[in-house]
mmCIF file with all atom_site columns, all heavy atoms in Angstrom:
data_model
loop_
_atom_site.group_PDB
_atom_site.id
_atom_site.type_symbol
_atom_site.label_atom_id
_atom_site.label_alt_id
_atom_site.label_comp_id
_atom_site.label_asym_id
_atom_site.label_entity_id
_atom_site.label_seq_id
_atom_site.pdbx_PDB_ins_code
_atom_site.Cartn_x
_atom_site.Cartn_y
_atom_site.Cartn_z
_atom_site.occupancy
_atom_site.B_iso_or_equiv
_atom_site.pdbx_formal_charge
_atom_site.auth_seq_id
_atom_site.auth_comp_id
_atom_site.auth_asym_id
_atom_site.auth_atom_id
_atom_site.pdbx_PDB_model_num
ATOM 1   N N   . LEU X 1 142 ? 69.873 93.793  71.109 1.00 94.00 ? 142 LEU X N   1
ATOM 2   C CA  . LEU X 1 142 ? 70.852 94.843  71.390 1.00 94.00 ? 142 LEU X CA  1
ATOM 3   C C   . LEU X 1 142 ? 72.129 94.202  71.886 1.00 94.00 ? 142 LEU X C   1
ATOM 4   O O   . LEU X 1 142 ? 72.118 93.491  72.891 1.00 94.00 ? 142 LEU X O   1
ATOM 5   C CB  . LEU X 1 142 ? 70.336 95.796  72.474 1.00 94.00 ? 142 LEU X CB  1
ATOM 6   C CG  . LEU X 1 142 ? 69.327 96.858  72.076 1.00 94.00 ? 142 LEU X CG  1
ATOM 7   C CD1 . LEU X 1 142 ? 67.970 96.270  71.828 1.00 94.00 ? 142 LEU X CD1 1
ATOM 8   C CD2 . LEU X 1 142 ? 69.251 97.912  73.147 1.00 94.00 ? 142 LEU X CD2 1
ATOM 9   N N   . ASP X 1 143 ? 73.216 94.446  71.186 1.00 93.00 ? 143 ASP X N   1
ATOM 10  C CA  . ASP X 1 143 ? 74.522 93.957  71.602 1.00 93.00 ? 143 ASP X CA  1
ATOM 11  C C   . ASP X 1 143 ? 74.994 94.839  72.761 1.00 93.00 ? 143 ASP X C   1
ATOM 12  O O   . ASP X 1 143 ? 75.034 96.061  72.645 1.00 93.00 ? 143 ASP X O   1
ATOM 13  C CB  . ASP X 1 143 ? 75.507 94.033  70.438 1.00 93.00 ? 143 ASP X CB  1
ATOM 14  C CG  . ASP X 1 143 ? 76.808 93.333  70.717 1.00 93.00 ? 143 ASP X CG  1
ATOM 15  O OD1 . ASP X 1 143 ? 77.232 93.276  71.897 1.00 93.00 ? 143 ASP X OD1 1
ATOM 16  O OD2 . ASP X 1 143 ? 77.433 92.848  69.751 1.00 93.00 ? 143 ASP X OD2 1
ATOM 17  N N   . LYS X 1 144 ? 75.365 94.216  73.865 1.00 93.00 ? 144 LYS X N   1
ATOM 18  C CA  . LYS X 1 144 ? 75.755 94.976  75.057 1.00 93.00 ? 144 LYS X CA  1
ATOM 19  C C   . LYS X 1 144 ? 77.041 95.768  74.862 1.00 93.00 ? 144 LYS X C   1
ATOM 20  O O   . LYS X 1 144 ? 77.290 96.733  75.587 1.00 93.00 ? 144 LYS X O   1
ATOM 21  C CB  . LYS X 1 144 ? 75.912 94.028  76.253 1.00 93.00 ? 144 LYS X CB  1
ATOM 22  C CG  . LYS X 1 144 ? 74.592 93.512  76.774 1.00 93.00 ? 144 LYS X CG  1
ATOM 23  C CD  . LYS X 1 144 ? 74.787 92.695  78.029 1.00 93.00 ? 144 LYS X CD  1
ATOM 24  C CE  . LYS X 1 144 ? 73.463 92.298  78.631 1.00 93.00 ? 144 LYS X CE  1
ATOM 25  N NZ  . LYS X 1 144 ? 73.617 91.552  79.884 1.00 93.00 ? 144 LYS X NZ  1
ATOM 26  N N   . ASN X 1 145 ? 77.845 95.404  73.879 1.00 93.00 ? 145 ASN X N   1
ATOM 27  C CA  . ASN X 1 145 ? 79.106 96.112  73.640 1.00 93.00 ? 145 ASN X CA  1
ATOM 28  C C   . ASN X 1 145 ? 78.956 97.305  72.710 1.00 93.00 ? 145 ASN X C   1
ATOM 29  O O   . ASN X 1 145 ? 79.934 98.010  72.467 1.00 93.00 ? 145 ASN X O   1
ATOM 30  C CB  . ASN X 1 145 ? 80.147 95.149  73.049 1.00 93.00 ? 145 ASN X CB  1
ATOM 31  C CG  . ASN X 1 145 ? 80.503 94.057  74.019 1.00 93.00 ? 145 ASN X CG  1
ATOM 32  O OD1 . ASN X 1 145 ? 80.594 94.277  75.218 1.00 93.00 ? 145 ASN X OD1 1
ATOM 33  N ND2 . ASN X 1 145 ? 80.687 92.853  73.510 1.00 93.00 ? 145 ASN X ND2 1
ATOM 34  N N   . ASN X 1 146 ? 77.761 97.553  72.186 1.00 92.00 ? 146 ASN X N   1
ATOM 35  C CA  . ASN X 1 146 ? 77.590 98.578  71.159 1.00 92.00 ? 146 ASN X CA  1
ATOM 36  C C   . ASN X 1 146 ? 76.837 99.824  71.630 1.00 92.00 ? 146 ASN X C   1
ATOM 37  O O   . ASN X 1 146 ? 76.205 100.492 70.821 1.00 92.00 ? 146 ASN X O   1
ATOM 38  C CB  . ASN X 1 146 ? 76.880 97.983  69.941 1.00 92.00 ? 146 ASN X CB  1
ATOM 39  C CG  . ASN X 1 146 ? 77.724 96.970  69.227 1.00 92.00 ? 146 ASN X CG  1
ATOM 40  O OD1 . ASN X 1 146 ? 78.895 96.803  69.521 1.00 92.00 ? 146 ASN X OD1 1
ATOM 41  N ND2 . ASN X 1 146 ? 77.136 96.280  68.274 1.00 92.00 ? 146 ASN X ND2 1
ATOM 42  N N   . PHE X 1 147 ? 76.896 100.145 72.892 1.00 93.00 ? 147 PHE X N   1
ATOM 43  C CA  . PHE X 1 147 ? 76.251 101.361 73.374 1.00 93.00 ? 147 PHE X CA  1
ATOM 44  C C   . PHE X 1 147 ? 77.127 102.568 73.044 1.00 93.00 ? 147 PHE X C   1
ATOM 45  O O   . PHE X 1 147 ? 78.309 102.599 73.400 1.00 93.00 ? 147 PHE X O   1
ATOM 46  C CB  . PHE X 1 147 ? 75.987 101.290 74.884 1.00 93.00 ? 147 PHE X CB  1
ATOM 47  C CG  . PHE X 1 147 ? 74.753 100.520 75.239 1.00 93.00 ? 147 PHE X CG  1
ATOM 48  C CD1 . PHE X 1 147 ? 74.823 99.167  75.519 1.00 93.00 ? 147 PHE X CD1 1
ATOM 49  C CD2 . PHE X 1 147 ? 73.517 101.137 75.274 1.00 93.00 ? 147 PHE X CD2 1
ATOM 50  C CE1 . PHE X 1 147 ? 73.691 98.440  75.826 1.00 93.00 ? 147 PHE X CE1 1
ATOM 51  C CE2 . PHE X 1 147 ? 72.370 100.429 75.584 1.00 93.00 ? 147 PHE X CE2 1
ATOM 52  C CZ  . PHE X 1 147 ? 72.458 99.069  75.862 1.00 93.00 ? 147 PHE X CZ  1
ATOM 53  N N   . THR X 1 148 ? 76.552 103.540 72.348 1.00 93.00 ? 148 THR X N   1
ATOM 54  C CA  . THR X 1 148 ? 77.278 104.770 72.046 1.00 93.00 ? 148 THR X CA  1
ATOM 55  C C   . THR X 1 148 ? 76.943 105.862 73.052 1.00 93.00 ? 148 THR X C   1
ATOM 56  O O   . THR X 1 148 ? 77.729 106.773 73.259 1.00 93.00 ? 148 THR X O   1
ATOM 57  C CB  . THR X 1 148 ? 76.973 105.255 70.616 1.00 93.00 ? 148 THR X CB  1
ATOM 58  O OG1 . THR X 1 148 ? 75.553 105.367 70.451 1.00 93.00 ? 148 THR X OG1 1
ATOM 59  C CG2 . THR X 1 148 ? 77.514 104.272 69.590 1.00 93.00 ? 148 THR X CG2 1
ATOM 60  N N   . ILE X 1 149 ? 75.768 105.770 73.643 1.00 93.00 ? 149 ILE X N   1
ATOM 61  C CA  . ILE X 1 149 ? 75.376 106.648 74.747 1.00 93.00 ? 149 ILE X CA  1
ATOM 62  C C   . ILE X 1 149 ? 74.958 105.741 75.893 1.00 93.00 ? 149 ILE X C   1
ATOM 63  O O   . ILE X 1 149 ? 74.091 104.897 75.728 1.00 93.00 ? 149 ILE X O   1
ATOM 64  C CB  . ILE X 1 149 ? 74.221 107.596 74.363 1.00 93.00 ? 149 ILE X CB  1
ATOM 65  C CG1 . ILE X 1 149 ? 74.632 108.513 73.217 1.00 93.00 ? 149 ILE X CG1 1
ATOM 66  C CG2 . ILE X 1 149 ? 73.754 108.399 75.568 1.00 93.00 ? 149 ILE X CG2 1
ATOM 67  C CD1 . ILE X 1 149 ? 73.518 109.401 72.702 1.00 93.00 ? 149 ILE X CD1 1
ATOM 68  N N   . GLY X 1 150 ? 75.576 105.891 77.025 1.00 91.00 ? 150 GLY X N   1
ATOM 69  C CA  . GLY X 1 150 ? 75.291 105.037 78.166 1.00 91.00 ? 150 GLY X CA  1
ATOM 70  C C   . GLY X 1 150 ? 76.072 103.734 78.073 1.00 91.00 ? 150 GLY X C   1
ATOM 71  O O   . GLY X 1 150 ? 76.944 103.556 77.218 1.00 91.00 ? 150 GLY X O   1
ATOM 72  N N   . ASN X 1 151 ? 75.763 102.823 79.001 1.00 92.00 ? 151 ASN X N   1
ATOM 73  C CA  . ASN X 1 151 ? 76.436 101.520 79.001 1.00 92.00 ? 151 ASN X CA  1
ATOM 74  C C   . ASN X 1 151 ? 75.425 100.434 79.350 1.00 92.00 ? 151 ASN X C   1
ATOM 75  O O   . ASN X 1 151 ? 74.296 100.709 79.747 1.00 92.00 ? 151 ASN X O   1
ATOM 76  C CB  . ASN X 1 151 ? 77.628 101.508 79.957 1.00 92.00 ? 151 ASN X CB  1
ATOM 77  C CG  . ASN X 1 151 ? 77.233 101.813 81.388 1.00 92.00 ? 151 ASN X CG  1
ATOM 78  O OD1 . ASN X 1 151 ? 76.289 101.231 81.920 1.00 92.00 ? 151 ASN X OD1 1
ATOM 79  N ND2 . ASN X 1 151 ? 77.951 102.721 82.020 1.00 92.00 ? 151 ASN X ND2 1
ATOM 80  N N   . ALA X 1 152 ? 75.845 99.184  79.194 1.00 92.00 ? 152 ALA X N   1
ATOM 81  C CA  . ALA X 1 152 ? 74.944 98.049  79.385 1.00 92.00 ? 152 ALA X CA  1
ATOM 82  C C   . ALA X 1 152 ? 74.447 97.938  80.822 1.00 92.00 ? 152 ALA X C   1
ATOM 83  O O   . ALA X 1 152 ? 73.287 97.603  81.064 1.00 92.00 ? 152 ALA X O   1
ATOM 84  C CB  . ALA X 1 152 ? 75.632 96.762  78.955 1.00 92.00 ? 152 ALA X CB  1
ATOM 85  N N   . LYS X 1 153 ? 75.315 98.204  81.772 1.00 93.00 ? 153 LYS X N   1
ATOM 86  C CA  . LYS X 1 153 ? 74.920 98.085  83.179 1.00 93.00 ? 153 LYS X CA  1
ATOM 87  C C   . LYS X 1 153 ? 73.828 99.099  83.537 1.00 93.00 ? 153 LYS X C   1
ATOM 88  O O   . LYS X 1 153 ? 72.826 98.753  84.154 1.00 93.00 ? 153 LYS X O   1
ATOM 89  C CB  . LYS X 1 153 ? 76.143 98.276  84.075 1.00 93.00 ? 153 LYS X CB  1
ATOM 90  C CG  . LYS X 1 153 ? 75.857 98.085  85.536 1.00 93.00 ? 153 LYS X CG  1
ATOM 91  C CD  . LYS X 1 153 ? 77.087 98.282  86.376 1.00 93.00 ? 153 LYS X CD  1
ATOM 92  C CE  . LYS X 1 153 ? 76.740 98.162  87.852 1.00 93.00 ? 153 LYS X CE  1
ATOM 93  N NZ  . LYS X 1 153 ? 77.862 98.507  88.708 1.00 93.00 ? 153 LYS X NZ  1
ATOM 94  N N   . ASP X 1 154 ? 74.024 100.348 83.137 1.00 93.00 ? 154 ASP X N   1
ATOM 95  C CA  . ASP X 1 154 ? 73.019 101.375 83.412 1.00 93.00 ? 154 ASP X CA  1
ATOM 96  C C   . ASP X 1 154 ? 71.727 101.110 82.635 1.00 93.00 ? 154 ASP X C   1
ATOM 97  O O   . ASP X 1 154 ? 70.632 101.346 83.135 1.00 93.00 ? 154 ASP X O   1
ATOM 98  C CB  . ASP X 1 154 ? 73.563 102.757 83.067 1.00 93.00 ? 154 ASP X CB  1
ATOM 99  C CG  . ASP X 1 154 ? 74.691 103.186 83.994 1.00 93.00 ? 154 ASP X CG  1
ATOM 100 O OD1 . ASP X 1 154 ? 74.797 102.623 85.106 1.00 93.00 ? 154 ASP X OD1 1
ATOM 101 O OD2 . ASP X 1 154 ? 75.474 104.073 83.599 1.00 93.00 ? 154 ASP X OD2 1
ATOM 102 N N   . PHE X 1 155 ? 71.870 100.612 81.395 1.00 94.00 ? 155 PHE X N   1
ATOM 103 C CA  . PHE X 1 155 ? 70.687 100.293 80.600 1.00 94.00 ? 155 PHE X CA  1
ATOM 104 C C   . PHE X 1 155 ? 69.891 99.167  81.257 1.00 94.00 ? 155 PHE X C   1
ATOM 105 O O   . PHE X 1 155 ? 68.661 99.216  81.275 1.00 94.00 ? 155 PHE X O   1
ATOM 106 C CB  . PHE X 1 155 ? 71.070 99.906  79.167 1.00 94.00 ? 155 PHE X CB  1
ATOM 107 C CG  . PHE X 1 155 ? 69.878 99.554  78.329 1.00 94.00 ? 155 PHE X CG  1
ATOM 108 C CD1 . PHE X 1 155 ? 69.027 100.531 77.845 1.00 94.00 ? 155 PHE X CD1 1
ATOM 109 C CD2 . PHE X 1 155 ? 69.583 98.233  78.042 1.00 94.00 ? 155 PHE X CD2 1
ATOM 110 C CE1 . PHE X 1 155 ? 67.914 100.210 77.092 1.00 94.00 ? 155 PHE X CE1 1
ATOM 111 C CE2 . PHE X 1 155 ? 68.472 97.892  77.287 1.00 94.00 ? 155 PHE X CE2 1
ATOM 112 C CZ  . PHE X 1 155 ? 67.634 98.886  76.819 1.00 94.00 ? 155 PHE X CZ  1
ATOM 113 N N   . ASN X 1 156 ? 70.572 98.187  81.796 1.00 92.00 ? 156 ASN X N   1
ATOM 114 C CA  . ASN X 1 156 ? 69.899 97.080  82.469 1.00 92.00 ? 156 ASN X CA  1
ATOM 115 C C   . ASN X 1 156 ? 69.057 97.609  83.628 1.00 92.00 ? 156 ASN X C   1
ATOM 116 O O   . ASN X 1 156 ? 67.897 97.215  83.797 1.00 92.00 ? 156 ASN X O   1
ATOM 117 C CB  . ASN X 1 156 ? 70.930 96.063  82.951 1.00 92.00 ? 156 ASN X CB  1
ATOM 118 C CG  . ASN X 1 156 ? 70.297 94.781  83.423 1.00 92.00 ? 156 ASN X CG  1
ATOM 119 O OD1 . ASN X 1 156 ? 69.356 94.284  82.824 1.00 92.00 ? 156 ASN X OD1 1
ATOM 120 N ND2 . ASN X 1 156 ? 70.817 94.245  84.509 1.00 92.00 ? 156 ASN X ND2 1
ATOM 121 N N   . THR X 1 157 ? 69.604 98.484  84.423 1.00 91.00 ? 157 THR X N   1
ATOM 122 C CA  . THR X 1 157 ? 68.855 99.092  85.529 1.00 91.00 ? 157 THR X CA  1
ATOM 123 C C   . THR X 1 157 ? 67.670 99.893  85.004 1.00 91.00 ? 157 THR X C   1
ATOM 124 O O   . THR X 1 157 ? 66.557 99.800  85.531 1.00 91.00 ? 157 THR X O   1
ATOM 125 C CB  . THR X 1 157 ? 69.788 100.007 86.353 1.00 91.00 ? 157 THR X CB  1
ATOM 126 O OG1 . THR X 1 157 ? 70.914 99.251  86.778 1.00 91.00 ? 157 THR X OG1 1
ATOM 127 C CG2 . THR X 1 157 ? 69.068 100.598 87.546 1.00 91.00 ? 157 THR X CG2 1
ATOM 128 N N   . PHE X 1 158 ? 67.891 100.662 83.947 1.00 93.00 ? 158 PHE X N   1
ATOM 129 C CA  . PHE X 1 158 ? 66.845 101.488 83.341 1.00 93.00 ? 158 PHE X CA  1
ATOM 130 C C   . PHE X 1 158 ? 65.694 100.641 82.806 1.00 93.00 ? 158 PHE X C   1
ATOM 131 O O   . PHE X 1 158 ? 64.530 100.901 83.109 1.00 93.00 ? 158 PHE X O   1
ATOM 132 C CB  . PHE X 1 158 ? 67.465 102.329 82.219 1.00 93.00 ? 158 PHE X CB  1
ATOM 133 C CG  . PHE X 1 158 ? 66.472 103.057 81.374 1.00 93.00 ? 158 PHE X CG  1
ATOM 134 C CD1 . PHE X 1 158 ? 65.870 104.221 81.817 1.00 93.00 ? 158 PHE X CD1 1
ATOM 135 C CD2 . PHE X 1 158 ? 66.132 102.582 80.110 1.00 93.00 ? 158 PHE X CD2 1
ATOM 136 C CE1 . PHE X 1 158 ? 64.951 104.898 81.030 1.00 93.00 ? 158 PHE X CE1 1
ATOM 137 C CE2 . PHE X 1 158 ? 65.224 103.241 79.312 1.00 93.00 ? 158 PHE X CE2 1
ATOM 138 C CZ  . PHE X 1 158 ? 64.629 104.407 79.778 1.00 93.00 ? 158 PHE X CZ  1
#
Side-chain angles (χ1 to χ4, degrees):
L142 281 74
D143 190 330
K144 288 186 174 183
N145 296 323
N146 293 351
F147 279 92
T148 54
I149 299 175
N151 59 49
K153 184 180 177 187
D154 292 340
F155 179 75
N156 191 40
T157 305
F158 171 78

